[in-house]
């Protein structure tokens, strides 16, 4: 059976691994010219650690984990002069001491290396049309290549092309949480050694995370949805600098300069995806394409790995009964997704308070004096 997977990130790579292992013929199409390796460290939690063990990559993940255990706090909030005013203790951001935090690029490389040589990767291409005839799925790629598959799986993130083609326009399913985030690599050592430091202004967040081997700027701004081209770096920079402009406290100007200079920026809406069903006919969705919980949940990566495992397992168990297989995959995942999607607005208000009074309330709750 031939399966086309759209998207070569956490969900798509995990699915390719499992489908290949179960004997499917797998093609992965990725719109970017290569694996997209930017992003800050991400968490692997709960059952995703068991999935990683079954994939034989748990030790590699463990060996390459980011060590934040020596950190005094998850982050320290500072005032405009850089003086500490509040501290978020580590335990607010973790479920269990077994959680593993790993650089996103390292996880992508580990997943990719685990995949058998039989999987075909097509970069710099994207699904243009997808037609489910009932017996096969006919796909044409933007490059002009066309082929038929038994199944197509959209693992192509919150702006999924497969979802748009089969289930309808993005605005029906994606809910913008009134926030945009950005991540940018900074010169090594430009932060506070081993620590995370954050400056907040109403509706704006400027954070520098030092992981020893890497220093990452993390910014966020509260705003309703903005029109821009999410594939155009210059347009992303224009919107982001516009959203963060007018702030000069702490190291905000340094971060704004870093945005102007970078050629590798992650910038996107903080969104959740809510859909009544994750499959239609021979086409299914996994990961953020189906059920994004948002980056504030800290669970998107784990959900993507667990979902890929369930989908492949169910399809392998009943290849000729894909409707039932997709249904069982969804049943397994729904409760986890509901849990991950809950409480995200509170996390957002806490990390990126919209108003001065929300900001003061948070700072008082975690005031440096109160923490000691
Ligand atoms: C570059 C990048 C950086 C990220 N950084 C962070 C981070 O620091 N912290 C965090 O919590 N989350 C981050 N995320 C999101 C995180 O990876 C996901 O929330 C989670 O891991 C679920 O992954 P996913 O594979 O479902 O979706 P995603 O990781 O969003 O991957 C979707 C993939 O599909 C590809 N794609 C999109 N459209 C098409 C198309 N039409 N055809 C083919 N391919 C397509 C994208 O290029 C991407 O590789 C990042 C995502 C990306 C893409």
């Amino acid at each position: 059976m031939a399966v086309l997977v759209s998207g070569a990130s956490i969900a798509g790579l995990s699915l390719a691994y499992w489908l290949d292992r179960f004997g499917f013929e797998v093609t992965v199409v990725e719109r970017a010219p290569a694996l997209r390796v930017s992003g800050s460290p991400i968490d692997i939690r709960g059952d995703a650690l068991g999935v990683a063990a079954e994939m034989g990559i748990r030790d590699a993940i463990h060996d390459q984990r980011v060590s934040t255990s020596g950190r005094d706090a998850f982050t320290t909030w500072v005032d405009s002069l850089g003086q500490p005013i509040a501290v978020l203790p580590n335990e607010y951001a973790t479920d269990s001491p077994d959680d593993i935090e790993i650089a996103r690029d390292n996880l992508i490389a580990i997943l990719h290396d685990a995949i058998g040589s039989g999987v075909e990767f097509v970069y710099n291409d994207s699904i243009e049309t997808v037609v489910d005839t009932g017996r096969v799925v006919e796909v044409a790629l933007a490059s002009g290549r066309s082929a038929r598959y038994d199944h197509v799986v959209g693992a192509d993130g919150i702006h999924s092309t497969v979802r748009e083609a089969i289930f309808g326009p993005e605005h029906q399913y994606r809910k913008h949480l009134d926030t945009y985030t950005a991540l940018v690599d900074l010169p090594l050592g430009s932060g506070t050694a081993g620590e995370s430091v954050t400056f907040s202004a109403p509706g704006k967040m400027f954070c520098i995370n030092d992981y020893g081997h890497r220093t990452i700027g993390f910014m966020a701004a509260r705003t309703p949805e903005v029109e821009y081209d999410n594939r155009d770096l210059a347009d992303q920079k224009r919107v982001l600098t516009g959203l963060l402009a007018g702030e000069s406290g702490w190291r905000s100007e340094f971060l704004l300069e870093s945005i102007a200079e970078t050629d590798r920026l992650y910038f996107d809406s903080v969104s959740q995806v809510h859909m009544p069903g994750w499959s239609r006919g021979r086409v299914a969705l996994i990961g953020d394409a189906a059920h994004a919980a948002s980056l504030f949940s800290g669970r998107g990566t784990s959900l993507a790995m667990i979902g890929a495992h369930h989908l492949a397992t169910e399809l392998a168990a009943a290849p000729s009964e894909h409707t039932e297989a997709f249904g069982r995959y969804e049943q397994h995942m729904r409760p986890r997704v509901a849990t991950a999607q809950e409480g995200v607005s509170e996390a957002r208000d806490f990390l990126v308070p919209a108003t001065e009074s929300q900001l003061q309330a948070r700072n008082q709750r975690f005031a440096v004096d109160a923490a000691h």
Side-chain angles (χ1 to χ4, degrees), residues 5-13 29-32 34-43 104 107-108 122 125-127 154-162 183 216 218 231 265-268 286-305:
V5 179
S6 174
S9 180
I10 313 293
L13 294 173
V29 58
E30 165 60 49
R31 188 161 58 193
L35 293 172
R36 296 181 66 192
V37 292
S38 64
S40 65
I42 45 186
D43 293 311
R104 188 176 171 281
L107 179 59
I108 292 277
V122 180
D125 214 343
S126 170
I127 291 176
D156 41 6
I158 59 172
H159 306 292
S160 170
T161 298
V162 174
L183 295 158
I216 296 178
F218 178 23
R231 284 187 245 164
L265 178 73
Y266 171 77
F267 174 68
D268 213 331
I286 60 168
D288 280 6
H291 51 63
S294 93
L295 141 153
F296 289 142
S297 80
R299 287 182 168 72
T301 298
S302 298
L303 288 176
M305 291 176 69

Side-chain angles (χ1 to χ4, degrees), residues 198-340:
T198 306
F199 168 65
S200 297
K204 294 174 188 169
M205 183 193 85
F206 299 87
C207 173
I208 299 180
N209 277 312
D210 183 280
Y211 296 100
H213 69 297
R214 204 162 164 193
T215 308
I216 296 178
F218 178 23
M219 287 138 286
R222 298 283 295 260
T223 175
E225 194 110 45
V226 177
E227 283 285 315
Y228 71 101
D229 180 351
N230 68 10
R231 284 187 245 164
D232 179 346
L233 178 64
D235 212 26
Q236 292 181 338
K237 288 185 180 185
R238 176 188 65 77
V239 172
L240 178 60
T241 45
L243 293 174
L244 295 174
E247 190 51 63
S248 59
W250 186 55
R251 303 188 66 194
S252 52
E253 287 173 348
F254 163 68
L255 285 164
L256 284 163
E257 281 161 24
S258 306
I259 294 165
E261 284 163 16
T262 191
D263 56 6
R264 208 173 71 160
L265 178 73
Y266 171 77
F267 174 68
D268 213 331
S269 151
V270 177
S271 293
Q272 289 193 337
V273 172
H274 295 265
M275 300 185 72
W278 301 336
S279 64
R280 191 169 284 175
R282 293 181 165 274
V283 179
L285 302 173
I286 60 168
D288 280 6
H291 51 63
S294 93
L295 141 153
F296 289 142
S297 80
R299 287 182 168 72
T301 298
S302 298
L303 288 176
M305 291 176 69
I306 296 167
H309 179 232
H310 278 306
L311 179 59
T313 304
E314 295 299 344
L315 203 53
S320 56
E321 294 166 7
H322 58 267
T323 307
E324 291 77 8
F326 290 156
R328 283 193 294 274
Y329 141 72
E330 192 167 329
Q331 263 174 20
H332 284 303
M333 292 303 294
R334 281 282 174 192
R336 296 174 189 281
V337 168
T339 304

Side-chain angles (χ1 to χ4, degrees), residues 16 40 72 101 103 112 144 148 177-178 192 242 246 268 274 315 332:
S40 65
D72 292 338
E101 197 176 4
H112 184 256
R148 295 171 158 211
L177 299 181
D178 283 332
T192 304
D268 213 331
H274 295 265
L315 203 53
H332 284 303

